[in-house]
Amino acid sequence: MINETDPQKMYRAMQAKLSNVVPDFELKLKSEIAAEINRLKAEKNAVILGHNYMEPTLFNSVPDFVGDSLELARRAAQTDKDIIVFCGVRFMAETAKILNPTKTVLLPAKKAGCSLAASITAQDVRDLKTRFPGVPVVTYVNTYADVKAESDICCTSGNAVAVVASLHTDRVIFLPDEYLARNVAKETGKEIIFPTPDPRKTTDSELNFQMIGWLGRCEVHDKFTVEDIANVRKQFPDVTILAHPECSPAVVAASDFSGSTGAMIRFVENSSAPHYLLLTECAMGDNIAAANPDKDMLRLCSVRCPHMNEITLEETLEALQKNQYVIELPQDILERAARAVQRMIAIG
Ligand code: 13P
Ligand code: SF4
């Protein structure tokens, strides 16, 4: 965070951090907006939370806290500010609201969706519960509040294995990310099935399985392939490859490390490989490159999350100026979703 309200000082601070990843004219323009955001943030007693996928000028200027979705949920739970501005996507802002039902939570863009959150409805979860009665439901935080409300516990990519282990049950329903579910199943040695929508067309009951998944995918991480990895390794045999667990199990297996966005950042900070390649959305690659100028980040990434991309410094300024877009959720959804999110936060 650069908590500057003076545009000149902000520009110099941004230049010192970002001159290797952002053109100078952009830094000049953005520093004025960022300085004004910081002034308004103090005036309105707001806190700004920034996901690791925010573009470099935003990520490095106005957020009071940056991190992965678990770290930001924890920060949201701890804040004493009146307003939370969530620079991330809608499901993250909803999670902040679930944890702070009496505070104003602002999302700087109207939509800022997520292909995983869009892949499942509350009715889908109710149908699965009817089909697999008594089996606890673990829901990835990349879901909307009404889906969380149908769940027993939430998880993020940072704690999915620990959350599943905490249940001590023979079976779990794990929704909605197919790849994260497969990766967790692999790591914990569980058999996973993906039931078809029509229960009459399956023989699920005859199978020996411990996890029940759903066929949701992240539209960004789905793009990475083992061929990409093979091509990079051919060119850079000593490269260290990091993959988010929303990538396919084959991609994760062909990589050297897999973890949440926060875990990937810490891995690069705490290691000294000749080259790194990140298989995740590309603004984070820029942010890591800016923070680690001595490390060689291979810049082969061209996959930007279109939903994260909706959040800019301009939109964040407007959010504070116009008090928009306020996250509102029905009371019963808030209360039921809070149980699942709080239970996750308690696990860590
Ligand atoms: P993290 O929890 O690792 O930050 O991931 C959130 C996300 O949406 C990744 O695509
Ligand atoms: Fe959703 Fe994928 Fe974007 Fe993350 S990167 S917000 S999972 S679409």
mmCIF file with all atom_site columns, all heavy atoms in Angstrom, residues 85-90 93 106-113 306-312 315-316 319 324-327:
data_model
loop_
_atom_site.group_PDB
_atom_site.id
_atom_site.type_symbol
_atom_site.label_atom_id
_atom_site.label_alt_id
_atom_site.label_comp_id
_atom_site.label_asym_id
_atom_site.label_entity_id
_atom_site.label_seq_id
_atom_site.pdbx_PDB_ins_code
_atom_site.Cartn_x
_atom_site.Cartn_y
_atom_site.Cartn_z
_atom_site.occupancy
_atom_site.B_iso_or_equiv
_atom_site.pdbx_formal_charge
_atom_site.auth_seq_id
_atom_site.auth_comp_id
_atom_site.auth_asym_id
_atom_site.auth_atom_id
_atom_site.pdbx_PDB_model_num
ATOM 1   N N   . VAL A 1 85  ? -14.432 -1.401  0.638   1.00 0.00 ? 85  VAL A N   1
ATOM 2   C CA  . VAL A 1 85  ? -14.430 -1.374  -0.830  1.00 0.00 ? 85  VAL A CA  1
ATOM 3   C C   . VAL A 1 85  ? -13.664 -2.613  -1.272  1.00 0.00 ? 85  VAL A C   1
ATOM 4   O O   . VAL A 1 85  ? -12.486 -2.758  -0.935  1.00 0.00 ? 85  VAL A O   1
ATOM 5   C CB  . VAL A 1 85  ? -13.749 -0.099  -1.380  1.00 0.00 ? 85  VAL A CB  1
ATOM 6   C CG1 . VAL A 1 85  ? -13.795 -0.097  -2.907  1.00 0.00 ? 85  VAL A CG1 1
ATOM 7   C CG2 . VAL A 1 85  ? -14.403 1.144   -0.815  1.00 0.00 ? 85  VAL A CG2 1
ATOM 8   N N   . PHE A 1 86  ? -14.343 -3.511  -1.993  1.00 0.00 ? 86  PHE A N   1
ATOM 9   C CA  . PHE A 1 86  ? -13.701 -4.755  -2.368  1.00 0.00 ? 86  PHE A CA  1
ATOM 10  C C   . PHE A 1 86  ? -13.224 -4.692  -3.810  1.00 0.00 ? 86  PHE A C   1
ATOM 11  O O   . PHE A 1 86  ? -14.036 -4.745  -4.734  1.00 0.00 ? 86  PHE A O   1
ATOM 12  C CB  . PHE A 1 86  ? -14.637 -5.957  -2.160  1.00 0.00 ? 86  PHE A CB  1
ATOM 13  C CG  . PHE A 1 86  ? -13.848 -7.189  -1.806  1.00 0.00 ? 86  PHE A CG  1
ATOM 14  C CD1 . PHE A 1 86  ? -13.959 -7.767  -0.564  1.00 0.00 ? 86  PHE A CD1 1
ATOM 15  C CD2 . PHE A 1 86  ? -12.937 -7.724  -2.710  1.00 0.00 ? 86  PHE A CD2 1
ATOM 16  C CE1 . PHE A 1 86  ? -13.184 -8.871  -0.222  1.00 0.00 ? 86  PHE A CE1 1
ATOM 17  C CE2 . PHE A 1 86  ? -12.165 -8.821  -2.380  1.00 0.00 ? 86  PHE A CE2 1
ATOM 18  C CZ  . PHE A 1 86  ? -12.292 -9.395  -1.127  1.00 0.00 ? 86  PHE A CZ  1
ATOM 19  N N   . CYS A 1 87  ? -11.915 -4.592  -3.986  1.00 0.00 ? 87  CYS A N   1
ATOM 20  C CA  . CYS A 1 87  ? -11.345 -4.622  -5.333  1.00 0.00 ? 87  CYS A CA  1
ATOM 21  C C   . CYS A 1 87  ? -11.045 -6.079  -5.679  1.00 0.00 ? 87  CYS A C   1
ATOM 22  O O   . CYS A 1 87  ? -9.940  -6.592  -5.467  1.00 0.00 ? 87  CYS A O   1
ATOM 23  C CB  . CYS A 1 87  ? -10.093 -3.750  -5.401  1.00 0.00 ? 87  CYS A CB  1
ATOM 24  S SG  . CYS A 1 87  ? -10.472 -2.004  -5.247  1.00 0.00 ? 87  CYS A SG  1
ATOM 25  N N   . GLY A 1 88  ? -12.078 -6.727  -6.157  1.00 0.00 ? 88  GLY A N   1
ATOM 26  C CA  . GLY A 1 88  ? -12.018 -8.138  -6.524  1.00 0.00 ? 88  GLY A CA  1
ATOM 27  C C   . GLY A 1 88  ? -13.320 -8.403  -7.239  1.00 0.00 ? 88  GLY A C   1
ATOM 28  O O   . GLY A 1 88  ? -13.948 -7.468  -7.740  1.00 0.00 ? 88  GLY A O   1
ATOM 29  N N   . VAL A 1 89  ? -13.752 -9.660  -7.265  1.00 0.00 ? 89  VAL A N   1
ATOM 30  C CA  . VAL A 1 89  ? -15.015 -9.951  -7.975  1.00 0.00 ? 89  VAL A CA  1
ATOM 31  C C   . VAL A 1 89  ? -16.179 -10.092 -6.983  1.00 0.00 ? 89  VAL A C   1
ATOM 32  O O   . VAL A 1 89  ? -15.984 -10.099 -5.775  1.00 0.00 ? 89  VAL A O   1
ATOM 33  C CB  . VAL A 1 89  ? -14.871 -11.179 -8.899  1.00 0.00 ? 89  VAL A CB  1
ATOM 34  C CG1 . VAL A 1 89  ? -14.012 -10.837 -10.104 1.00 0.00 ? 89  VAL A CG1 1
ATOM 35  C CG2 . VAL A 1 89  ? -14.300 -12.371 -8.150  1.00 0.00 ? 89  VAL A CG2 1
ATOM 36  N N   . ARG A 1 90  ? -17.396 -10.200 -7.554  1.00 0.00 ? 90  ARG A N   1
ATOM 37  C CA  . ARG A 1 90  ? -18.617 -10.124 -6.733  1.00 0.00 ? 90  ARG A CA  1
ATOM 38  C C   . ARG A 1 90  ? -18.662 -11.150 -5.599  1.00 0.00 ? 90  ARG A C   1
ATOM 39  O O   . ARG A 1 90  ? -19.028 -10.821 -4.484  1.00 0.00 ? 90  ARG A O   1
ATOM 40  C CB  . ARG A 1 90  ? -19.863 -10.263 -7.625  1.00 0.00 ? 90  ARG A CB  1
ATOM 41  C CG  . ARG A 1 90  ? -21.173 -10.308 -6.865  1.00 0.00 ? 90  ARG A CG  1
ATOM 42  C CD  . ARG A 1 90  ? -22.356 -10.080 -7.749  1.00 0.00 ? 90  ARG A CD  1
ATOM 43  N NE  . ARG A 1 90  ? -22.394 -8.710  -8.223  1.00 0.00 ? 90  ARG A NE  1
ATOM 44  C CZ  . ARG A 1 90  ? -23.011 -7.703  -7.604  1.00 0.00 ? 90  ARG A CZ  1
ATOM 45  N NH1 . ARG A 1 90  ? -23.655 -7.915  -6.481  1.00 0.00 ? 90  ARG A NH1 1
ATOM 46  N NH2 . ARG A 1 90  ? -22.993 -6.489  -8.112  1.00 0.00 ? 90  ARG A NH2 1
ATOM 47  N N   . ALA A 1 93  ? -16.783 -9.864  -2.661  1.00 0.00 ? 93  ALA A N   1
ATOM 48  C CA  . ALA A 1 93  ? -17.462 -8.764  -1.965  1.00 0.00 ? 93  ALA A CA  1
ATOM 49  C C   . ALA A 1 93  ? -18.642 -9.315  -1.167  1.00 0.00 ? 93  ALA A C   1
ATOM 50  O O   . ALA A 1 93  ? -18.914 -8.865  -0.047  1.00 0.00 ? 93  ALA A O   1
ATOM 51  C CB  . ALA A 1 93  ? -17.920 -7.726  -2.980  1.00 0.00 ? 93  ALA A CB  1
ATOM 52  N N   . LEU A 1 106 ? -18.824 -2.186  -0.793  1.00 0.00 ? 106 LEU A N   1
ATOM 53  C CA  . LEU A 1 106 ? -18.928 -1.681  -2.168  1.00 0.00 ? 106 LEU A CA  1
ATOM 54  C C   . LEU A 1 106 ? -18.059 -2.518  -3.103  1.00 0.00 ? 106 LEU A C   1
ATOM 55  O O   . LEU A 1 106 ? -16.910 -2.827  -2.788  1.00 0.00 ? 106 LEU A O   1
ATOM 56  C CB  . LEU A 1 106 ? -18.452 -0.227  -2.232  1.00 0.00 ? 106 LEU A CB  1
ATOM 57  C CG  . LEU A 1 106 ? -19.181 0.786   -1.349  1.00 0.00 ? 106 LEU A CG  1
ATOM 58  C CD1 . LEU A 1 106 ? -18.524 2.173   -1.483  1.00 0.00 ? 106 LEU A CD1 1
ATOM 59  C CD2 . LEU A 1 106 ? -20.660 0.866   -1.697  1.00 0.00 ? 106 LEU A CD2 1
ATOM 60  N N   . LEU A 1 107 ? -18.645 -2.860  -4.257  1.00 0.00 ? 107 LEU A N   1
ATOM 61  C CA  . LEU A 1 107 ? -17.907 -3.513  -5.343  1.00 0.00 ? 107 LEU A CA  1
ATOM 62  C C   . LEU A 1 107 ? -17.804 -2.461  -6.449  1.00 0.00 ? 107 LEU A C   1
ATOM 63  O O   . LEU A 1 107 ? -18.828 -1.963  -6.907  1.00 0.00 ? 107 LEU A O   1
ATOM 64  C CB  . LEU A 1 107 ? -18.686 -4.743  -5.820  1.00 0.00 ? 107 LEU A CB  1
ATOM 65  C CG  . LEU A 1 107 ? -18.111 -5.531  -6.991  1.00 0.00 ? 107 LEU A CG  1
ATOM 66  C CD1 . LEU A 1 107 ? -16.807 -6.231  -6.595  1.00 0.00 ? 107 LEU A CD1 1
ATOM 67  C CD2 . LEU A 1 107 ? -19.113 -6.585  -7.475  1.00 0.00 ? 107 LEU A CD2 1
ATOM 68  N N   . PRO A 1 108 ? -16.605 -2.094  -6.891  1.00 0.00 ? 108 PRO A N   1
ATOM 69  C CA  . PRO A 1 108 ? -16.488 -0.994  -7.850  1.00 0.00 ? 108 PRO A CA  1
ATOM 70  C C   . PRO A 1 108 ? -17.031 -1.262  -9.259  1.00 0.00 ? 108 PRO A C   1
ATOM 71  O O   . PRO A 1 108 ? -17.011 -0.360  -10.083 1.00 0.00 ? 108 PRO A O   1
ATOM 72  C CB  . PRO A 1 108 ? -14.973 -0.725  -7.897  1.00 0.00 ? 108 PRO A CB  1
ATOM 73  C CG  . PRO A 1 108 ? -14.448 -1.289  -6.635  1.00 0.00 ? 108 PRO A CG  1
ATOM 74  C CD  . PRO A 1 108 ? -15.297 -2.479  -6.335  1.00 0.00 ? 108 PRO A CD  1
ATOM 75  N N   . ALA A 1 109 ? -17.494 -2.446  -9.567  1.00 0.00 ? 109 ALA A N   1
ATOM 76  C CA  . ALA A 1 109 ? -18.112 -2.703  -10.878 1.00 0.00 ? 109 ALA A CA  1
ATOM 77  C C   . ALA A 1 109 ? -19.457 -3.370  -10.654 1.00 0.00 ? 109 ALA A C   1
ATOM 78  O O   . ALA A 1 109 ? -19.649 -4.064  -9.666  1.00 0.00 ? 109 ALA A O   1
ATOM 79  C CB  . ALA A 1 109 ? -17.225 -3.597  -11.726 1.00 0.00 ? 109 ALA A CB  1
ATOM 80  N N   . LYS A 1 110 ? -20.371 -3.147  -11.612 1.00 0.00 ? 110 LYS A N   1
ATOM 81  C CA  . LYS A 1 110 ? -21.731 -3.667  -11.451 1.00 0.00 ? 110 LYS A CA  1
ATOM 82  C C   . LYS A 1 110 ? -21.752 -5.198  -11.449 1.00 0.00 ? 110 LYS A C   1
ATOM 83  O O   . LYS A 1 110 ? -22.408 -5.819  -10.643 1.00 0.00 ? 110 LYS A O   1
ATOM 84  C CB  . LYS A 1 110 ? -22.592 -3.151  -12.612 1.00 0.00 ? 110 LYS A CB  1
ATOM 85  C CG  . LYS A 1 110 ? -23.985 -2.759  -12.168 1.00 0.00 ? 110 LYS A CG  1
ATOM 86  C CD  . LYS A 1 110 ? -24.783 -2.291  -13.348 1.00 0.00 ? 110 LYS A CD  1
ATOM 87  C CE  . LYS A 1 110 ? -25.475 -0.980  -13.018 1.00 0.00 ? 110 LYS A CE  1
ATOM 88  N NZ  . LYS A 1 110 ? -25.961 -0.250  -14.152 1.00 0.00 ? 110 LYS A NZ  1
ATOM 89  N N   . LYS A 1 111 ? -20.975 -5.803  -12.362 1.00 0.00 ? 111 LYS A N   1
ATOM 90  C CA  . LYS A 1 111 ? -21.061 -7.264  -12.497 1.00 0.00 ? 111 LYS A CA  1
ATOM 91  C C   . LYS A 1 111 ? -19.892 -7.973  -11.818 1.00 0.00 ? 111 LYS A C   1
ATOM 92  O O   . LYS A 1 111 ? -20.065 -8.634  -10.820 1.00 0.00 ? 111 LYS A O   1
ATOM 93  C CB  . LYS A 1 111 ? -21.075 -7.641  -13.977 1.00 0.00 ? 111 LYS A CB  1
ATOM 94  C CG  . LYS A 1 111 ? -22.430 -7.482  -14.633 1.00 0.00 ? 111 LYS A CG  1
ATOM 95  C CD  . LYS A 1 111 ? -22.443 -8.385  -15.859 1.00 0.00 ? 111 LYS A CD  1
ATOM 96  C CE  . LYS A 1 111 ? -23.568 -8.051  -16.818 1.00 0.00 ? 111 LYS A CE  1
ATOM 97  N NZ  . LYS A 1 111 ? -23.067 -7.967  -18.186 1.00 0.00 ? 111 LYS A NZ  1
ATOM 98  N N   . ALA A 1 112 ? -18.713 -7.868  -12.398 1.00 0.00 ? 112 ALA A N   1
ATOM 99  C CA  . ALA A 1 112 ? -17.511 -8.561  -11.900 1.00 0.00 ? 112 ALA A CA  1
ATOM 100 C C   . ALA A 1 112 ? -17.836 -9.983  -11.457 1.00 0.00 ? 112 ALA A C   1
ATOM 101 O O   . ALA A 1 112 ? -17.708 -10.333 -10.283 1.00 0.00 ? 112 ALA A O   1
ATOM 102 C CB  . ALA A 1 112 ? -16.849 -7.750  -10.784 1.00 0.00 ? 112 ALA A CB  1
ATOM 103 N N   . GLY A 1 113 ? -18.257 -10.800 -12.406 1.00 0.00 ? 113 GLY A N   1
ATOM 104 C CA  . GLY A 1 113 ? -18.698 -12.163 -12.099 1.00 0.00 ? 113 GLY A CA  1
ATOM 105 C C   . GLY A 1 113 ? -17.542 -13.146 -11.958 1.00 0.00 ? 113 GLY A C   1
ATOM 106 O O   . GLY A 1 113 ? -16.424 -12.768 -11.597 1.00 0.00 ? 113 GLY A O   1
ATOM 107 N N   . PRO A 1 306 ? -11.350 -11.687 -17.270 1.00 0.00 ? 306 PRO A N   1
ATOM 108 C CA  . PRO A 1 306 ? -12.141 -10.537 -17.718 1.00 0.00 ? 306 PRO A CA  1
ATOM 109 C C   . PRO A 1 306 ? -12.963 -9.915  -16.593 1.00 0.00 ? 306 PRO A C   1
ATOM 110 O O   . PRO A 1 306 ? -13.316 -8.745  -16.662 1.00 0.00 ? 306 PRO A O   1
ATOM 111 C CB  . PRO A 1 306 ? -13.067 -11.139 -18.793 1.00 0.00 ? 306 PRO A CB  1
ATOM 112 C CG  . PRO A 1 306 ? -13.120 -12.598 -18.500 1.00 0.00 ? 306 PRO A CG  1
ATOM 113 C CD  . PRO A 1 306 ? -11.818 -12.958 -17.866 1.00 0.00 ? 306 PRO A CD  1
ATOM 114 N N   . HIS A 1 307 ? -13.247 -10.699 -15.566 1.00 0.00 ? 307 HIS A N   1
ATOM 115 C CA  . HIS A 1 307 ? -14.077 -10.200 -14.459 1.00 0.00 ? 307 HIS A CA  1
ATOM 116 C C   . HIS A 1 307 ? -13.241 -9.349  -13.498 1.00 0.00 ? 307 HIS A C   1
ATOM 117 O O   . HIS A 1 307 ? -13.665 -8.270  -13.068 1.00 0.00 ? 307 HIS A O   1
ATOM 118 C CB  . HIS A 1 307 ? -14.728 -11.374 -13.726 1.00 0.00 ? 307 HIS A CB  1
ATOM 119 C CG  . HIS A 1 307 ? -15.349 -12.359 -14.676 1.00 0.00 ? 307 HIS A CG  1
ATOM 120 N ND1 . HIS A 1 307 ? -16.464 -12.040 -15.404 1.00 0.00 ? 307 HIS A ND1 1
ATOM 121 C CD2 . HIS A 1 307 ? -14.979 -13.618 -15.052 1.00 0.00 ? 307 HIS A CD2 1
ATOM 122 C CE1 . HIS A 1 307 ? -16.770 -13.078 -16.177 1.00 0.00 ? 307 HIS A CE1 1
ATOM 123 N NE2 . HIS A 1 307 ? -15.886 -14.033 -15.989 1.00 0.00 ? 307 HIS A NE2 1
ATOM 124 N N   . MET A 1 308 ? -12.052 -9.812  -13.192 1.00 0.00 ? 308 MET A N   1
ATOM 125 C CA  . MET A 1 308 ? -11.145 -9.016  -12.359 1.00 0.00 ? 308 MET A CA  1
ATOM 126 C C   . MET A 1 308 ? -10.780 -7.719  -13.093 1.00 0.00 ? 308 MET A C   1
ATOM 127 O O   . MET A 1 308 ? -10.574 -6.680  -12.482 1.00 0.00 ? 308 MET A O   1
ATOM 128 C CB  . MET A 1 308 ? -9.865  -9.808  -12.061 1.00 0.00 ? 308 MET A CB  1
ATOM 129 C CG  . MET A 1 308 ? -10.082 -11.011 -11.177 1.00 0.00 ? 308 MET A CG  1
ATOM 130 S SD  . MET A 1 308 ? -10.262 -10.492 -9.460  1.00 0.00 ? 308 MET A SD  1
ATOM 131 C CE  . MET A 1 308 ? -10.437 -12.094 -8.653  1.00 0.00 ? 308 MET A CE  1
ATOM 132 N N   . ASN A 1 309 ? -10.728 -7.840  -14.425 1.00 0.00 ? 309 ASN A N   1
ATOM 133 C CA  . ASN A 1 309 ? -10.327 -6.698  -15.251 1.00 0.00 ? 309 ASN A CA  1
ATOM 134 C C   . ASN A 1 309 ? -11.333 -5.549  -15.208 1.00 0.00 ? 309 ASN A C   1
ATOM 135 O O   . ASN A 1 309 ? -11.033 -4.428  -15.600 1.00 0.00 ? 309 ASN A O   1
ATOM 136 C CB  . ASN A 1 309 ? -10.145 -7.185  -16.698 1.00 0.00 ? 309 ASN A CB  1
ATOM 137 C CG  . ASN A 1 309 ? -9.252  -6.280  -17.490 1.00 0.00 ? 309 ASN A CG  1
ATOM 138 O OD1 . ASN A 1 309 ? -8.301  -5.718  -16.942 1.00 0.00 ? 309 ASN A OD1 1
ATOM 139 N ND2 . ASN A 1 309 ? -9.560  -6.099  -18.762 1.00 0.00 ? 309 ASN A ND2 1
ATOM 140 N N   . GLU A 1 310 ? -12.551 -5.840  -14.736 1.00 0.00 ? 310 GLU A N   1
ATOM 141 C CA  . GLU A 1 310 ? -13.571 -4.772  -14.638 1.00 0.00 ? 310 GLU A CA  1
ATOM 142 C C   . GLU A 1 310 ? -13.253 -3.787  -13.514 1.00 0.00 ? 310 GLU A C   1
ATOM 143 O O   . GLU A 1 310 ? -13.819 -2.706  -13.457 1.00 0.00 ? 310 GLU A O   1
ATOM 144 C CB  . GLU A 1 310 ? -14.952 -5.390  -14.371 1.00 0.00 ? 310 GLU A CB  1
ATOM 145 C CG  . GLU A 1 310 ? -15.545 -6.115  -15.556 1.00 0.00 ? 310 GLU A CG  1
ATOM 146 C CD  . GLU A 1 310 ? -16.899 -6.720  -15.206 1.00 0.00 ? 310 GLU A CD  1
ATOM 147 O OE1 . GLU A 1 310 ? -17.682 -6.095  -14.467 1.00 0.00 ? 310 GLU A OE1 1
ATOM 148 O OE2 . GLU A 1 310 ? -17.161 -7.839  -15.668 1.00 0.00 ? 310 GLU A OE2 1
ATOM 149 N N   . ILE A 1 311 ? -12.385 -4.203  -12.599 1.00 0.00 ? 311 ILE A N   1
ATOM 150 C CA  . ILE A 1 311 ? -12.087 -3.335  -11.450 1.00 0.00 ? 311 ILE A CA  1
ATOM 151 C C   . ILE A 1 311 ? -10.831 -2.519  -11.753 1.00 0.00 ? 311 ILE A C   1
ATOM 152 O O   . ILE A 1 311 ? -9.736  -3.072  -11.886 1.00 0.00 ? 311 ILE A O   1
ATOM 153 C CB  . ILE A 1 311 ? -11.874 -4.167  -10.162 1.00 0.00 ? 311 ILE A CB  1
ATOM 154 C CG1 . ILE A 1 311 ? -13.008 -5.175  -9.964  1.00 0.00 ? 311 ILE A CG1 1
ATOM 155 C CG2 . ILE A 1 311 ? -11.717 -3.255  -8.941  1.00 0.00 ? 311 ILE A CG2 1
ATOM 156 C CD1 . ILE A 1 311 ? -14.375 -4.598  -9.713  1.00 0.00 ? 311 ILE A CD1 1
ATOM 157 N N   . THR A 1 312 ? -11.000 -1.213  -11.851 1.00 0.00 ? 312 THR A N   1
ATOM 158 C CA  . THR A 1 312 ? -9.882  -0.322  -12.164 1.00 0.00 ? 312 THR A CA  1
ATOM 159 C C   . THR A 1 312 ? -9.803  0.778   -11.101 1.00 0.00 ? 312 THR A C   1
ATOM 160 O O   . THR A 1 312 ? -10.726 0.926   -10.284 1.00 0.00 ? 312 THR A O   1
ATOM 161 C CB  . THR A 1 312 ? -10.116 0.361   -13.524 1.00 0.00 ? 312 THR A CB  1
ATOM 162 O OG1 . THR A 1 312 ? -11.330 1.129   -13.403 1.00 0.00 ? 312 THR A OG1 1
ATOM 163 C CG2 . THR A 1 312 ? -10.260 -0.640  -14.655 1.00 0.00 ? 312 THR A CG2 1
ATOM 164 N N   . GLU A 1 315 ? -12.835 3.059   -11.602 1.00 0.00 ? 315 GLU A N   1
ATOM 165 C CA  . GLU A 1 315 ? -14.085 2.525   -11.030 1.00 0.00 ? 315 GLU A CA  1
ATOM 166 C C   . GLU A 1 315 ? -14.052 2.600   -9.503  1.00 0.00 ? 315 GLU A C   1
ATOM 167 O O   . GLU A 1 315 ? -15.075 2.804   -8.859  1.00 0.00 ? 315 GLU A O   1
ATOM 168 C CB  . GLU A 1 315 ? -14.267 1.045   -11.437 1.00 0.00 ? 315 GLU A CB  1
ATOM 169 C CG  . GLU A 1 315 ? -14.220 0.772   -12.918 1.00 0.00 ? 315 GLU A CG  1
ATOM 170 C CD  . GLU A 1 315 ? -15.495 1.145   -13.621 1.00 0.00 ? 315 GLU A CD  1
ATOM 171 O OE1 . GLU A 1 315 ? -16.512 1.337   -12.954 1.00 0.00 ? 315 GLU A OE1 1
ATOM 172 O OE2 . GLU A 1 315 ? -15.451 1.261   -14.865 1.00 0.00 ? 315 GLU A OE2 1
ATOM 173 N N   . THR A 1 316 ? -12.880 2.410   -8.941  1.00 0.00 ? 316 THR A N   1
ATOM 174 C CA  . THR A 1 316 ? -12.761 2.432   -7.468  1.00 0.00 ? 316 THR A CA  1
ATOM 175 C C   . THR A 1 316 ? -13.002 3.850   -6.949  1.00 0.00 ? 316 THR A C   1
ATOM 176 O O   . THR A 1 316 ? -13.674 4.053   -5.922  1.00 0.00 ? 316 THR A O   1
ATOM 177 C CB  . THR A 1 316 ? -11.359 1.916   -7.049  1.00 0.00 ? 316 THR A CB  1
ATOM 178 O OG1 . THR A 1 316 ? -11.177 0.632   -7.644  1.00 0.00 ? 316 THR A OG1 1
ATOM 179 C CG2 . THR A 1 316 ? -11.235 1.799   -5.545  1.00 0.00 ? 316 THR A CG2 1
ATOM 180 N N   . ALA A 1 319 ? -16.638 4.444   -7.116  1.00 0.00 ? 319 ALA A N   1
ATOM 181 C CA  . ALA A 1 319 ? -17.325 3.681   -6.061  1.00 0.00 ? 319 ALA A CA  1
ATOM 182 C C   . ALA A 1 319 ? -17.366 4.509   -4.777  1.00 0.00 ? 319 ALA A C   1
ATOM 183 O O   . ALA A 1 319 ? -18.403 4.608   -4.114  1.00 0.00 ? 319 ALA A O   1
ATOM 184 C CB  . ALA A 1 319 ? -16.609 2.359   -5.823  1.00 0.00 ? 319 ALA A CB  1
ATOM 185 N N   . GLN A 1 324 ? -21.093 3.272   -4.639  1.00 0.00 ? 324 GLN A N   1
ATOM 186 C CA  . GLN A 1 324 ? -21.606 2.208   -5.499  1.00 0.00 ? 324 GLN A CA  1
ATOM 187 C C   . GLN A 1 324 ? -20.555 1.098   -5.657  1.00 0.00 ? 324 GLN A C   1
ATOM 188 O O   . GLN A 1 324 ? -19.359 1.383   -5.474  1.00 0.00 ? 324 GLN A O   1
ATOM 189 C CB  . GLN A 1 324 ? -21.986 2.749   -6.875  1.00 0.00 ? 324 GLN A CB  1
ATOM 190 C CG  . GLN A 1 324 ? -20.815 3.223   -7.707  1.00 0.00 ? 324 GLN A CG  1
ATOM 191 C CD  . GLN A 1 324 ? -21.248 3.901   -9.003  1.00 0.00 ? 324 GLN A CD  1
ATOM 192 O OE1 . GLN A 1 324 ? -22.364 4.354   -9.145  1.00 0.00 ? 324 GLN A OE1 1
ATOM 193 N NE2 . GLN A 1 324 ? -20.330 3.980   -9.952  1.00 0.00 ? 324 GLN A NE2 1
ATOM 194 N N   . TYR A 1 325 ? -20.921 -0.069  -5.974  1.00 0.00 ? 325 TYR A N   1
ATOM 195 C CA  . TYR A 1 325 ? -22.233 -0.692  -6.048  1.00 0.00 ? 325 TYR A CA  1
ATOM 196 C C   . TYR A 1 325 ? -22.419 -1.438  -4.734  1.00 0.00 ? 325 TYR A C   1
ATOM 197 O O   . TYR A 1 325 ? -21.610 -2.335  -4.433  1.00 0.00 ? 325 TYR A O   1
ATOM 198 C CB  . TYR A 1 325 ? -22.291 -1.629  -7.246  1.00 0.00 ? 325 TYR A CB  1
ATOM 199 C CG  . TYR A 1 325 ? -22.154 -0.852  -8.557  1.00 0.00 ? 325 TYR A CG  1
ATOM 200 C CD1 . TYR A 1 325 ? -20.909 -0.637  -9.136  1.00 0.00 ? 325 TYR A CD1 1
ATOM 201 C CD2 . TYR A 1 325 ? -23.291 -0.315  -9.172  1.00 0.00 ? 325 TYR A CD2 1
ATOM 202 C CE1 . TYR A 1 325 ? -20.795 0.101   -10.308 1.00 0.00 ? 325 TYR A CE1 1
ATOM 203 C CE2 . TYR A 1 325 ? -23.183 0.400   -10.362 1.00 0.00 ? 325 TYR A CE2 1
ATOM 204 C CZ  . TYR A 1 325 ? -21.929 0.616   -10.914 1.00 0.00 ? 325 TYR A CZ  1
ATOM 205 O OH  . TYR A 1 325 ? -21.805 1.337   -12.065 1.00 0.00 ? 325 TYR A OH  1
ATOM 206 N N   . VAL A 1 326 ? -23.468 -1.080  -4.029  1.00 0.00 ? 326 VAL A N   1
ATOM 207 C CA  . VAL A 1 326 ? -23.666 -1.612  -2.674  1.00 0.00 ? 326 VAL A CA  1
ATOM 208 C C   . VAL A 1 326 ? -24.078 -3.083  -2.765  1.00 0.00 ? 326 VAL A C   1
ATOM 209 O O   . VAL A 1 326 ? -24.990 -3.438  -3.514  1.00 0.00 ? 326 VAL A O   1
ATOM 210 C CB  . VAL A 1 326 ? -24.752 -0.799  -1.934  1.00 0.00 ? 326 VAL A CB  1
ATOM 211 C CG1 . VAL A 1 326 ? -24.994 -1.355  -0.540  1.00 0.00 ? 326 VAL A CG1 1
ATOM 212 C CG2 . VAL A 1 326 ? -24.364 0.674   -1.870  1.00 0.00 ? 326 VAL A CG2 1
ATOM 213 N N   . ILE A 1 327 ? -23.395 -3.921  -1.999  1.00 0.00 ? 327 ILE A N   1
ATOM 214 C CA  . ILE A 1 327 ? -23.755 -5.350  -1.947  1.00 0.00 ? 327 ILE A CA  1
ATOM 215 C C   . ILE A 1 327 ? -24.918 -5.520  -0.967  1.00 0.00 ? 327 ILE A C   1
ATOM 216 O O   . ILE A 1 327 ? -24.804 -5.160  0.201   1.00 0.00 ? 327 ILE A O   1
ATOM 217 C CB  . ILE A 1 327 ? -22.551 -6.213  -1.475  1.00 0.00 ? 327 ILE A CB  1
ATOM 218 C CG1 . ILE A 1 327 ? -21.371 -6.084  -2.447  1.00 0.00 ? 327 ILE A CG1 1
ATOM 219 C CG2 . ILE A 1 327 ? -22.964 -7.670  -1.281  1.00 0.00 ? 327 ILE A CG2 1
ATOM 220 C CD1 . ILE A 1 327 ? -21.546 -6.735  -3.797  1.00 0.00 ? 327 ILE A CD1 1
#
